[in-house]
Amino acid sequence: MESLTSHEIHQQVRERLADAEVRYTTGRRAVVTALLRARGPRSAGEIVDLVVGAVPISSLYRSLAVLDESGVIGKHHDVDGIARFELAEWLVGHHHHMVCDRCGNVEDVALSGHEEDALHELVDRVGDSLGYTVSGHVLEVEGVCATCAV
Amino acid sequence: MESLTSHEIHQQVRERLADAEVRYTTGRRAVVTALLRARGPRSAGEIVDLVVGAVPISSLYRSLAVLDESGVIGKHHDVDGIARFELAEWLVGHHHHMVCDRCGNVEDVALSGHEEDALHELVDRVGDSLGYTVSGHVLEVEGVCATCAV
DNA sequence: AGTATAATAAGATTGATTCTCATTTTCGTC
DNA sequence: GACGAAAATGAGAATCAATCTTATTATACT
C-alpha cells in the first residue's frame, strides 16, 4: 500500500466523517495531525503533549471516541492497561507492532507482502479450526530496543 | 509440550514460589485452580466468580500481583482495557489467542510446531531489522465465534 | 507453645476514562 | 449577514478497575 500524504489523509478523514454525519472540527483535526506525526500508537496523555495549545482532557477523550466510532482511529491497550490510539489501517496501511519491554515504546512494523500473506493463511487456518469467521489479526513482537540494550 | 496434570502444576507453582521465598497459601492456590479450570485468560471479576467461597477483591488482586511477579501467571489487557490473567506459558505451554469480536470470549490456541517455527523466524527477522533483541511475541486472531455468528 | 515474619481483609485512595450539562460554535436558511 | 436548530466544546462531577494502608490473622521456625 502506497502511503497517503498528510493532506490526502485529512481529506479521507473528512469524507469518512461526512458519511457518518459528523463534523471535522479543529479539535478532531488536531488529533489526526498529532497521530500522523507520531509513528505509532499514543496514549491520551501523550496526545495532549503532541497537540499544539492547551486541550481540555475531556474534549480530547470525546474527540478520540468520535474518531474511534467512525473508524478513523483504532484503540488498544498497552501493558499497563492504558488506552493507546493510532490512525486506522485503511489510512496508514496494515501493520504490526514492535514493543520494547524496557521503555514501553511502540513502533509500527509493516511485513513484506509475502510474509503478510503467509501470516494471513495461518490465521485463517486457526480460525477455521475453531469455528470462527476470521476478521483480522494482531501480531506484537516483544523485545529490547537498541537504546535500552545499554 | 506435553501438558501437566493439575497436581503437577500446583507442584511446579509451589517450587517456583518457594524459590521466590513466597508462601503458597490457600488464596493463591485458589487462583491457580480457577485459572486451571478456565481455558483462557480471565479478569479479576471473573475469577471472583470462579473461586469457591467469597474472596475479598483486594486480597484477590494481591494474590494476582504476587503470582504475576513470581512468573506463575501472566497479565494482559482486553479490548475494554480490563486486566486478564492466565497461567504462564512455562506451565501450560506457549500459545496464542482467538478472540470473538462480538462476545469478547478468548480461547487459547496452540500452533503446530511447524507453524510456530515459521512465526518465530518471522518475528526474529522483524526484530533484527529494527535493532531489537526479540524476547517474545503475541498473536491474536480476531473473528466471530460460532455461537455469535447467529 | 512462643515469637517473628508473611499474608489477609476492609476500606480509603488513586488515576484513567466517561458522563453531565450549561455554553459556544457551526451549518443551512431567510 | 443575522436566525434558529443541531452539534460540539469545556469544566467539573462521577465511575470503576486497581492499588495502597493498616490493623488483624495465619504461618513457619525454634
Side-chain angles (χ1 to χ4, degrees):
Chain A
M1 174 175 180
E2 65 292 354
S3 56
L4 303 174
T5 66
S6 163
H7 183 267
E8 285 167 336
I9 286 190
H10 279 297
Q11 190 54 37
Q12 294 282 315
V13 172
R14 172 178 298 286
E15 287 172 20
R16 165 72 66 123
L17 291 184
D19 287 348
E21 297 187 325
V22 162
R23 297 175 186 162
Y24 196 28
T25 62
T26 312
R28 292 166 188 175
R29 182 193 308 272
V31 169
V32 171
T33 300
L35 290 179
L36 209 41
R37 290 212 195 95
R39 296 225 166 279
R42 295 291 179 268
S43 67
E46 288 166 346
I47 294 171
V48 165
D49 296 336
L50 289 172
V51 168
V52 290
V55 184
I57 193 76
S58 64
S59 299
L60 174 61
Y61 271 109
R62 260 178 348 77
S63 292
L64 289 168
V66 167
L67 293 172
D68 185 24
E69 282 156 21
S70 37
V72 171
I73 64 175
K75 172 183 183 177
H76 70 101
H77 293 267
D78 66 16
V79 293
D80 295 321
I82 296 175
R84 287 178 171 271
F85 304 86
E86 62 183 334
L87 294 177
E89 299 202 327
W90 63 272
L91 286 169
V92 295
H94 176 62
H95 61 272
H96 298 283
H97 291 141
M98 175 83 238
V99 187
C100 178
D101 293 332
R102 299 265 172 82
C103 65
N105 186 48
V106 185
E107 289 182 45
D108 289 352
V109 193
L111 299 183
S112 70
H114 183 64
E115 290 171 328
E116 191 60 48
D117 287 346
L119 185 57
H120 211 283
E121 271 181 41
L122 169 63
V123 162
D124 280 347
R125 222 179 309 140
V126 165
D128 281 355
S129 73
L130 294 169
Y132 282 65
T133 307
V134 173
S135 61
H137 63 271
V138 174
L139 175 64
E140 283 203 5
V141 184
E142 304 164 332
V144 179
C145 74
T147 309
C148 288
V150 185
Chain B
M1 175 176 181
E2 65 291 352
S3 58
L4 303 175
T5 66
S6 162
H7 183 267
E8 285 167 336
I9 286 190
H10 280 297
Q11 191 54 38
Q12 295 283 317
V13 172
R14 172 178 299 286
E15 288 173 19
R16 165 72 67 122
L17 291 183
D19 287 347
E21 297 187 324
V22 163
R23 296 173 187 164
Y24 197 28
T25 62
T26 312
R28 292 165 188 177
R29 182 191 309 271
V31 168
V32 171
T33 301
L35 290 180
L36 209 41
R37 289 212 195 93
R39 296 225 166 279
R42 294 291 179 269
S43 68
E46 288 167 346
I47 294 171
V48 165
D49 296 336
L50 289 171
V51 167
V52 291
V55 184
I57 194 74
S58 63
S59 300
L60 174 61
Y61 271 110
R62 280 209 314 93
S63 292
L64 290 168
V66 167
L67 293 171
D68 185 23
E69 283 156 19
S70 38
V72 171
I73 66 177
K75 171 185 184 176
H76 70 102
H77 294 266
D78 67 16
V79 292
D80 294 322
I82 64 180
R84 285 177 172 273
F85 303 87
E86 63 184 333
L87 294 176
E89 300 203 325
W90 64 272
L91 286 169
V92 294
H94 176 60
H95 61 272
H96 298 283
H97 292 139
M98 176 83 236
V99 188
C100 178
D101 292 331
R102 298 267 172 80
C103 66
N105 186 46
V106 185
E107 290 182 44
D108 289 351
V109 192
L111 300 183
S112 70
H114 183 65
E115 290 171 328
E116 191 60 47
D117 287 347
L119 185 57
H120 210 282
E121 272 180 40
L122 171 62
V123 302
D124 278 350
R125 222 177 312 142
V126 165
D128 280 356
S129 73
L130 294 171
Y132 282 65
T133 307
V134 173
S135 62
H137 63 271
V138 174
L139 175 64
E140 283 202 5
V141 184
E142 304 164 331
V144 179
C145 75
T147 309
C148 288
V150 186

